PDB file of all heavy atoms in Angstrom:
ATOM      1  N   ILE I 200       1.641  17.050   3.883  1.00  0.00           N
ATOM      2  CA  ILE I 200       2.017  15.654   4.120  1.00  0.00           C
ATOM      3  C   ILE I 200       1.540  15.137   5.463  1.00  0.00           C
ATOM      4  O   ILE I 200       1.585  13.929   5.717  1.00  0.00           O
ATOM      5  CB  ILE I 200       3.539  15.455   3.997  1.00  0.00           C
ATOM      6  CG1 ILE I 200       4.272  16.299   5.057  1.00  0.00           C
ATOM      7  CG2 ILE I 200       4.028  15.797   2.609  1.00  0.00           C
ATOM      8  CD1 ILE I 200       5.767  15.985   5.131  1.00  0.00           C
ATOM      9  N   LYS I 201       1.082  16.008   6.345  1.00  0.00           N
ATOM     10  CA  LYS I 201       0.585  15.601   7.657  1.00  0.00           C
ATOM     11  C   LYS I 201      -0.932  15.447   7.690  1.00  0.00           C
ATOM     12  O   LYS I 201      -1.506  15.137   8.735  1.00  0.00           O
ATOM     13  CB  LYS I 201       1.014  16.618   8.723  1.00  0.00           C
ATOM     14  CG  LYS I 201       2.499  16.587   9.051  1.00  0.00           C
ATOM     15  CD  LYS I 201       2.882  15.263   9.702  1.00  0.00           C
ATOM     16  CE  LYS I 201       4.331  15.261  10.165  1.00  0.00           C
ATOM     17  NZ  LYS I 201       4.691  13.991  10.837  1.00  0.00           N
ATOM     18  N   VAL I 202      -1.578  15.678   6.561  1.00  0.00           N
ATOM     19  CA  VAL I 202      -3.038  15.598   6.489  1.00  0.00           C
ATOM     20  C   VAL I 202      -3.430  14.513   5.498  1.00  0.00           C
ATOM     21  O   VAL I 202      -2.918  14.470   4.377  1.00  0.00           O
ATOM     22  CB  VAL I 202      -3.651  16.953   6.079  1.00  0.00           C
ATOM     23  CG1 VAL I 202      -5.174  16.875   6.126  1.00  0.00           C
ATOM     24  CG2 VAL I 202      -3.150  18.071   6.990  1.00  0.00           C
ATOM     25  N   PHE I 203      -4.353  13.646   5.920  1.00  0.00           N
ATOM     26  CA  PHE I 203      -4.772  12.501   5.118  1.00  0.00           C
ATOM     27  C   PHE I 203      -6.295  12.512   4.974  1.00  0.00           C
ATOM     28  O   PHE I 203      -6.998  13.223   5.680  1.00  0.00           O
ATOM     29  CB  PHE I 203      -4.304  11.201   5.784  1.00  0.00           C
ATOM     30  CG  PHE I 203      -2.810  11.135   5.968  1.00  0.00           C
ATOM     31  CD1 PHE I 203      -2.206  11.760   7.062  1.00  0.00           C
ATOM     32  CD2 PHE I 203      -2.013  10.470   5.060  1.00  0.00           C
ATOM     33  CE1 PHE I 203      -0.829  11.713   7.236  1.00  0.00           C
ATOM     34  CE2 PHE I 203      -0.640  10.419   5.226  1.00  0.00           C
ATOM     35  CZ  PHE I 203      -0.047  11.050   6.317  1.00  0.00           C
ATOM     36  N   HIS I 204      -6.782  11.692   4.066  1.00  0.00           N
ATOM     37  CA  HIS I 204      -8.221  11.640   3.837  1.00  0.00           C
ATOM     38  C   HIS I 204      -8.615  10.233   3.436  1.00  0.00           C
ATOM     39  O   HIS I 204      -7.939   9.592   2.615  1.00  0.00           O
ATOM     40  CB  HIS I 204      -8.635  12.607   2.720  1.00  0.00           C
ATOM     41  CG  HIS I 204     -10.049  12.445   2.274  1.00  0.00           C
ATOM     42  ND1 HIS I 204     -10.391  11.987   1.015  1.00  0.00           N
ATOM     43  CD2 HIS I 204     -11.217  12.654   2.930  1.00  0.00           C
ATOM     44  CE1 HIS I 204     -11.701  11.936   0.911  1.00  0.00           C
ATOM     45  NE2 HIS I 204     -12.238  12.333   2.044  1.00  0.00           N
ATOM     46  N   VAL I 205      -9.714   9.738   4.034  1.00  0.00           N
ATOM     47  CA  VAL I 205     -10.327   8.478   3.628  1.00  0.00           C
ATOM     48  C   VAL I 205     -11.773   8.784   3.245  1.00  0.00           C
ATOM     49  O   VAL I 205     -12.535   9.276   4.077  1.00  0.00           O
ATOM     50  CB  VAL I 205     -10.288   7.427   4.750  1.00  0.00           C
ATOM     51  CG1 VAL I 205     -11.067   6.175   4.339  1.00  0.00           C
ATOM     52  CG2 VAL I 205      -8.845   7.057   5.095  1.00  0.00           C
ATOM     53  N   PRO I 206     -12.176   8.534   1.992  1.00  0.00           N
ATOM     54  CA  PRO I 206     -13.552   8.850   1.561  1.00  0.00           C
ATOM     55  C   PRO I 206     -14.553   7.811   2.055  1.00  0.00           C
ATOM     56  O   PRO I 206     -14.210   6.634   2.248  1.00  0.00           O
ATOM     57  CB  PRO I 206     -13.443   8.834   0.039  1.00  0.00           C
ATOM     58  CG  PRO I 206     -12.336   7.858  -0.235  1.00  0.00           C
ATOM     59  CD  PRO I 206     -11.353   8.023   0.889  1.00  0.00           C
ATOM     60  N   HIS I 207     -15.804   8.244   2.244  1.00  0.00           N
ATOM     61  CA  HIS I 207     -16.854   7.340   2.726  1.00  0.00           C
ATOM     62  C   HIS I 207     -18.083   7.303   1.831  1.00  0.00           C
ATOM     63  O   HIS I 207     -19.025   6.552   2.107  1.00  0.00           O
ATOM     64  CB  HIS I 207     -17.279   7.753   4.139  1.00  0.00           C
ATOM     65  CG  HIS I 207     -16.168   7.735   5.126  1.00  0.00           C
ATOM     66  ND1 HIS I 207     -15.399   6.614   5.365  1.00  0.00           N
ATOM     67  CD2 HIS I 207     -15.666   8.711   5.925  1.00  0.00           C
ATOM     68  CE1 HIS I 207     -14.482   6.890   6.283  1.00  0.00           C
ATOM     69  NE2 HIS I 207     -14.614   8.159   6.627  1.00  0.00           N
ATOM     70  N   TRP I 208     -18.105   8.090   0.777  1.00  0.00           N
ATOM     71  CA  TRP I 208     -19.301   8.135  -0.061  1.00  0.00           C
ATOM     72  C   TRP I 208     -19.633   6.754  -0.619  1.00  0.00           C
ATOM     73  O   TRP I 208     -18.789   6.073  -1.197  1.00  0.00           O
ATOM     74  CB  TRP I 208     -19.107   9.131  -1.201  1.00  0.00           C
ATOM     75  CG  TRP I 208     -18.857  10.527  -0.712  1.00  0.00           C
ATOM     76  CD1 TRP I 208     -17.698  11.234  -0.792  1.00  0.00           C
ATOM     77  CD2 TRP I 208     -19.795  11.381  -0.044  1.00  0.00           C
ATOM     78  NE1 TRP I 208     -17.848  12.472  -0.215  1.00  0.00           N
ATOM     79  CE2 TRP I 208     -19.132  12.592   0.253  1.00  0.00           C
ATOM     80  CE3 TRP I 208     -21.138  11.236   0.334  1.00  0.00           C
ATOM     81  CZ2 TRP I 208     -19.759  13.649   0.906  1.00  0.00           C
ATOM     82  CZ3 TRP I 208     -21.767  12.293   0.985  1.00  0.00           C
ATOM     83  CH2 TRP I 208     -21.084  13.479   1.262  1.00  0.00           C
ATOM     84  N   GLY I 209     -20.872   6.355  -0.420  1.00  0.00           N
ATOM     85  CA  GLY I 209     -21.362   5.073  -0.946  1.00  0.00           C
ATOM     86  C   GLY I 209     -21.169   3.889  -0.030  1.00  0.00           C
ATOM     87  O   GLY I 209     -21.580   2.777  -0.375  1.00  0.00           O
ATOM     88  N   ARG I 210     -20.589   4.077   1.142  1.00  0.00           N
ATOM     89  CA  ARG I 210     -20.326   2.923   2.020  1.00  0.00           C
ATOM     90  C   ARG I 210     -21.614   2.254   2.491  1.00  0.00           C
ATOM     91  O   ARG I 210     -21.679   1.020   2.598  1.00  0.00           O
ATOM     92  CB  ARG I 210     -19.493   3.339   3.230  1.00  0.00           C
ATOM     93  CG  ARG I 210     -18.068   3.692   2.888  1.00  0.00           C
ATOM     94  CD  ARG I 210     -17.143   3.627   4.088  1.00  0.00           C
ATOM     95  NE  ARG I 210     -15.837   4.175   3.738  1.00  0.00           N
ATOM     96  CZ  ARG I 210     -14.899   3.527   3.070  1.00  0.00           C
ATOM     97  NH1 ARG I 210     -15.123   2.284   2.675  1.00  0.00           N
ATOM     98  NH2 ARG I 210     -13.742   4.104   2.789  1.00  0.00           N
ATOM     99  N   MET I 211     -22.637   3.046   2.799  1.00  0.00           N
ATOM    100  CA  MET I 211     -23.884   2.441   3.276  1.00  0.00           C
ATOM    101  C   MET I 211     -24.598   1.709   2.144  1.00  0.00           C
ATOM    102  O   MET I 211     -25.178   0.633   2.354  1.00  0.00           O
ATOM    103  CB  MET I 211     -24.792   3.511   3.888  1.00  0.00           C
ATOM    104  CG  MET I 211     -24.216   4.189   5.121  1.00  0.00           C
ATOM    105  SD  MET I 211     -23.732   3.065   6.466  1.00  0.00           S
ATOM    106  CE  MET I 211     -21.934   3.036   6.282  1.00  0.00           C
ATOM    107  N   GLN I 212     -24.564   2.262   0.947  1.00  0.00           N
ATOM    108  CA  GLN I 212     -25.130   1.546  -0.203  1.00  0.00           C
ATOM    109  C   GLN I 212     -24.389   0.238  -0.430  1.00  0.00           C
ATOM    110  O   GLN I 212     -24.997  -0.798  -0.696  1.00  0.00           O
ATOM    111  CB  GLN I 212     -25.047   2.413  -1.456  1.00  0.00           C
ATOM    112  CG  GLN I 212     -25.922   3.652  -1.436  1.00  0.00           C
ATOM    113  CD  GLN I 212     -25.778   4.475  -2.713  1.00  0.00           C
ATOM    114  OE1 GLN I 212     -25.096   4.059  -3.654  1.00  0.00           O
ATOM    115  NE2 GLN I 212     -26.401   5.634  -2.749  1.00  0.00           N
ATOM    116  N   ASN I 213     -23.076   0.283  -0.332  1.00  0.00           N
ATOM    117  CA  ASN I 213     -22.268  -0.913  -0.534  1.00  0.00           C
ATOM    118  C   ASN I 213     -22.548  -1.967   0.529  1.00  0.00           C
ATOM    119  O   ASN I 213     -22.630  -3.169   0.234  1.00  0.00           O
ATOM    120  CB  ASN I 213     -20.789  -0.541  -0.530  1.00  0.00           C
ATOM    121  CG  ASN I 213     -19.878  -1.747  -0.637  1.00  0.00           C
ATOM    122  OD1 ASN I 213     -19.384  -2.258   0.358  1.00  0.00           O
ATOM    123  ND2 ASN I 213     -19.657  -2.216  -1.854  1.00  0.00           N
ATOM    124  N   ALA I 214     -22.717  -1.520   1.774  1.00  0.00           N
ATOM    125  CA  ALA I 214     -22.894  -2.457   2.881  1.00  0.00           C
ATOM    126  C   ALA I 214     -24.294  -3.055   2.933  1.00  0.00           C
ATOM    127  O   ALA I 214     -24.463  -4.242   3.246  1.00  0.00           O
ATOM    128  CB  ALA I 214     -22.590  -1.757   4.202  1.00  0.00           C
TER     129      ALA I 214
END
Side-chain angles (χ1 to χ4, degrees):
I200 62 171
K201 289 295 186 178
V202 185
F203 301 82
H204 170 247
V205 174
H207 301 304
W208 300 111
R210 290 200 189 281
M211 297 305 103
Q212 293 179 6
N213 176 263

